[in-house]
Amino acid sequence: MRDKIIHYFKELLPYILVLIVILCIKKFAFGTILVNGNSMKDTLHNKDFMILDKMTYRFHEIKRFDIVVVQVGSQKLIKRVIGLPGEFIEYKDNELYVDGKKVEDHHSDRVTYDFDLHSIDLSHIPGDTYFVMGDNRTDSLDSRSFGVVKRNQILGKTSFVLFPFSRFGSVK
């Protein structure tokens, strides 16, 4: 009887190890995320199924215009990084200004109404926080409403659509 148990365990061991590796990868390296809504339109569409890269920001800095997944309350939102720690950002006449200098923002063809950090009671983006916005600036719940996000609220980077297959591939 004991030999049978050992034999079955030996047969199951590779499957158990594969399962453990897959669970670790899902927990610490990669996951999936579903786009919910139109806040990132035209870059991303409602119900796009994407890969969530949880590893990149362990080794690299978050950059302006990265598409990130942020945890805001119980929601996971997909947004674009617009402002980095220590910066003062504003939009005037549909143009992005960072610390008073114009920065090209090719990620939204929608109107971005004038605002600056003073309108959300900030003089600049505090250290270890980021200002995020959706690409569909007229229909986006983002830092203009919930404020800056802390680094630990950023779950990872996303830039690869898995489904629908007609949109399969990288997005910028």
Side-chain angles (χ1 to χ4, degrees):
M1 179 69 161
R2 182 172 177 231
D3 289 340
K4 273 187 167 182
I5 293 173
I6 291 173
H7 175 74
Y8 286 125
F9 181 75
K10 283 182 179 180
E11 280 187 21
L12 287 176
L13 186 61
Y15 298 105
I16 293 169
L17 291 175
V18 167
L19 182 62
I20 289 170
V21 168
I22 289 171
L23 291 174
C24 287
I25 288 171
K26 182 160 176 40
K27 173 77 175 160
F28 299 109
F30 297 98
T32 56
I33 187 80
L34 182 67
V35 176
N36 185 11
N38 293 313
S39 73
M40 287 297 291
K41 199 170 184 181
D42 288 322
T43 307
L44 302 174
H45 298 193
N46 189 35
K47 304 295 184 207
D48 281 353
F49 189 67
M50 304 184 71
I51 292 176
L52 171 59
D53 173 359
K54 300 176 185 179
M55 291 295 293
T56 294
Y57 295 141
R58 293 177 191 213
F59 305 104
H60 302 285
E61 294 296 315
I62 296 169
K63 296 180 195 147
R64 184 179 335 280
F65 302 127
D66 282 355
I67 300 173
V68 296
V69 177
V70 296
Q71 184 83 42
V72 179
S74 63
Q75 293 182 302
K76 292 178 182 166
L77 306 173
I78 301 174
K79 301 296 171 194
R80 189 175 299 278
V81 175
I82 301 297
L84 304 172
E87 294 180 337
F88 179 80
I89 63 161
E90 59 188 322
Y91 270 86
K92 290 190 291 189
D93 299 323
N94 211 38
E95 300 288 344
L96 171 63
Y97 291 85
V98 177
D99 296 331
K101 295 180 182 170
K102 185 177 170 183
V103 174
E104 293 297 321
D105 178 2
H106 301 289
H107 301 286
S108 177
D109 60 359
R110 312 275 171 121
V111 172
T112 303
Y113 299 112
D114 291 359
F115 79 93
D116 61 35
L117 289 178
H118 299 302
S119 64
I120 58 170
D121 297 327
L122 291 175
S123 60
H124 68 283
I125 300 169
D128 205 33
T129 62
Y130 298 83
F131 194 92
V132 297
M133 295 173 68
D135 288 354
N136 183 357
R137 306 288 164 73
T138 57
D139 184 20
S140 176
L141 176 66
D142 54 37
S143 286
R144 294 172 291 178
S145 52
F146 55 71
V148 294
V149 294
K150 295 177 181 168
R151 171 64 188 87
N152 65 4
Q153 289 178 268
I154 297 176
L155 304 178
K157 180 178 185 173
T158 188
S159 62
F160 196 90
V161 175
L162 289 171
F163 187 81
F165 295 125
S166 62
R167 296 186 32 75
F168 185 85
S170 292
V171 294
K172 297 270 181 199

